């Protein structure tokens, strides 16, 4: 009797979720903001695709793009129709990094100030704006899949280091370029790349020499997990991965991402305490009950409602 009631509940929840999924695919991105430097589409139900869209500039990152990246990922974090995000670039390259011509505008603003304290305030505000833009990917509770082709330079490395999973094409290459333009990278690469690659020697070499890291070495070092022949197969692979993740419980997926990021930056015990506090609530969700019953009865996976 109990099993019958539970299965009926799963069926009803699944039917409601299917209807919501259909509605989500029809809604597409109508509820999202429009962007000048980004293209936002829905590839599959719950699988959103953010593309850098300045192909004529090789997707160089001007201030508008920096601001829009932060805004886009903040919005998607609270969009119930979005469960997974793919990040890629339109055109020849993923991105050639910061738009130096656009960045030079800051020089004019600094020139208007005679006092070092006031110049520092301008620079501090700009650096934090760019840092917050990159960190928005990490703070977004939806998994972000980076799909990189061609060049990924400077700010592009900052950007992909904040993604959760990284795929690339055979022609992709990566370059921590900042030392070549007389500065230390300041929006995330020096903080995140050592945690991704795990080899202090390699990270130091890349950051101090600005040499190119080719796709094969990127996979060998752990920067990316798969290498594809071309852009088409890359995007197909990223979308297929996104569909797999989107079919899982959003409660489980978003909780997993949040705890992975938290545990990276804390001790093992702090991470254990955090997940205990988290799961004392989340284990009471319908998702856990429905998924557990499906596993126990060898039933098809349930269709989960939006979160």
């Amino acid at each position: 009797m109990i099993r019958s009631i539970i299965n009926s509940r799963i069926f009803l929840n699944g039917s409601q979720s299917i209807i919501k999924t259909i509605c989500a695919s029809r809604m597409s991105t109508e509820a999202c903001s429009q962007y000048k430097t980004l293209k936002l589409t829905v590839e599959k139900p719950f699988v959103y695709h953010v593309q850098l869209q300045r192909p004529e500039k090789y997707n160089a990152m001007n201030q508008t793009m920096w601001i829009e990246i932060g805004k886009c990922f903040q919005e998607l974090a609270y969009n119930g129709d979005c469960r997974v995000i793919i990040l890629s670039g339109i055109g020849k390259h993923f991105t050639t990094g910061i738009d130096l011509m656009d960045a030079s505008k800051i020089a004019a603003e600094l020139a208007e100030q005679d006092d070092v304290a006031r110049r520092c305030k301008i620079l501090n505000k700009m650096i934090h704006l760019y840092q917050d833009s990159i960190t928005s990917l990490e703070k977004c509770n939806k998994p972000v899949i980076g799909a990189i082709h061609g060049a990924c330079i400077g700010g592009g490395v900052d950007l992909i280091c904040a993604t959760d999973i990284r795929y690339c094409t055979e022609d992709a290459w990566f370059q921590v370029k900042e030392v070549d333009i007389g500065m230390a990278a300041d929006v995330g690469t020096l903080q995140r790349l050592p945690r991704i690659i795990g080899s202090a020697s390699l990270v130091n070499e890349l950051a101090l020499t600005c040499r190119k890291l080719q796709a094969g070495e990127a996979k060998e070092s752990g920067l990316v997990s798969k290498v594809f022949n071309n852009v088409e197969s890359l995007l197909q692979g990223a979308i297929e991965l996104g569909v797999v993740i989107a079919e899982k419980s959003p409660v489980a997926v978003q909780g997993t991402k949040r705890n992975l990021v938290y545990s990276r930056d804390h001790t093992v015990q702090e991470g254990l305490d955090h997940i205990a506090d988290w799961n004392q609530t989340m284990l009471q969700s319908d998702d856990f009950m429905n998924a557990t019953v499906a596993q126990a009865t060898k039933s098809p996976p349930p269709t989960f409602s939006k979160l």
Side-chain angles (χ1 to χ4, degrees):
M1 180 66 178
I2 293 175
R3 179 175 171 179
S4 176
I5 293 172
I6 291 174
N7 286 338
S8 296
R9 183 176 179 183
I10 293 173
F11 175 78
L12 290 173
N13 286 345
S15 298
Q16 293 171 354
S17 298
I18 291 171
I19 294 172
K20 291 178 180 178
T21 300
I22 294 171
C23 291
S25 63
R26 288 177 178 173
M27 284 175 63
S28 186
T29 56
E30 291 177 4
C32 298
S33 297
Q34 298 300 309
Y35 304 101
K36 294 180 179 179
T37 65
L38 306 176
K39 181 180 179 182
L40 182 60
T41 55
V42 180
E43 297 291 347
K44 299 285 184 179
F46 302 119
V47 180
Y48 277 55
H49 191 180
V50 177
Q51 294 175 284
L52 307 182
Q53 188 179 227
R54 295 187 76 211
E56 73 286 353
K57 298 290 185 181
Y58 299 134
N59 294 325
M61 303 164 73
N62 62 4
Q63 189 171 77
T64 300
M65 181 180 285
W66 287 99
I67 292 171
E68 289 188 343
I69 288 171
K71 181 178 181 182
C72 180
F73 281 89
Q74 287 168 11
E75 287 188 348
L76 291 179
Y78 292 97
N79 184 340
D81 293 320
C82 172
R83 293 184 184 176
V84 183
I85 305 165
I86 297 167
L87 175 65
S88 70
I90 296 174
K92 185 177 181 179
H93 298 293
F94 177 74
T95 176
T96 52
I98 192 167
D99 186 329
L100 295 176
M101 292 300 294
D102 182 79
S104 66
K105 296 175 184 177
I106 195 72
E109 188 176 355
L110 292 173
E112 296 175 359
Q113 303 294 334
D114 295 327
D115 182 68
V116 63
R118 281 138 183 96
R119 292 196 297 271
C120 284
K121 184 177 180 181
I122 293 170
L123 287 170
N124 184 273
K125 180 180 179 181
M126 180 190 72
I127 293 168
H128 278 289
L129 172 68
Y130 291 1
Q131 287 178 345
D132 291 345
S133 174
I134 298 298
T135 300
S136 69
L137 278 69
E138 195 170 83
K139 287 186 174 181
C140 178
N141 50 3
K142 317 298 172 61
V144 182
I145 303 167
I148 304 109
H149 75 284
C152 179
I153 303 172
V157 178
D158 292 307
L159 190 59
I160 66 161
C161 282
T163 62
D164 302 291
I165 299 169
R166 288 166 295 278
Y167 287 173
C168 76
T169 54
E170 291 178 344
D171 71 344
W173 51 275
F174 308 82
Q175 189 174 26
V176 183
K177 186 68 172 173
E178 282 79 359
V179 166
D180 270 352
I181 59 172
M183 64 173 288
D186 57 5
V187 294
T189 290
L190 301 185
Q191 293 70 38
R192 294 187 176 98
L193 190 59
R195 290 172 164 84
I196 294 170
I197 289 181
S199 168
S201 178
L202 179 57
V203 171
N204 293 344
E205 178 190 342
L206 295 173
L208 295 171
T209 67
C210 303
R211 79 164 175 86
K212 296 179 181 180
L213 182 76
Q214 302 292 341
E217 190 179 2
K219 184 177 186 299
E220 182 182 346
S221 67
L223 179 58
V224 301
S225 52
K226 282 189 179 181
V227 178
F228 294 81
N229 294 332
N230 50 50
V231 175
E232 291 74 20
S233 60
L234 168 69
L235 293 178
Q236 181 181 348
I239 292 168
E240 289 174 355
L241 176 64
V243 169
V244 171
I245 296 173
E247 291 174 346
K248 309 293 185 185
S249 158
V251 174
V253 168
Q254 294 175 31
T256 296
K257 171 169 179 175
R258 182 170 294 195
N259 279 276
L260 282 170
V261 173
Y262 182 92
S263 294
R264 182 200 65 190
D265 299 331
H266 294 78
T267 66
V268 171
Q269 188 57 54
E270 288 170 333
L272 290 170
D273 291 340
H274 186 265
I275 190 62
D277 290 341
W278 183 270
N279 267 2
Q280 69 183 9
T281 300
M282 297 307 167
L283 289 180
Q284 301 178 60
S285 74
D286 289 344
D287 288 26
F288 176 68
M289 186 201 72
N290 292 341
T292 301
V293 171
Q295 288 283 322
T297 60
K298 301 187 185 303
S299 303
T303 302
F304 299 98
S305 59
K306 292 190 293 186
L307 177 65

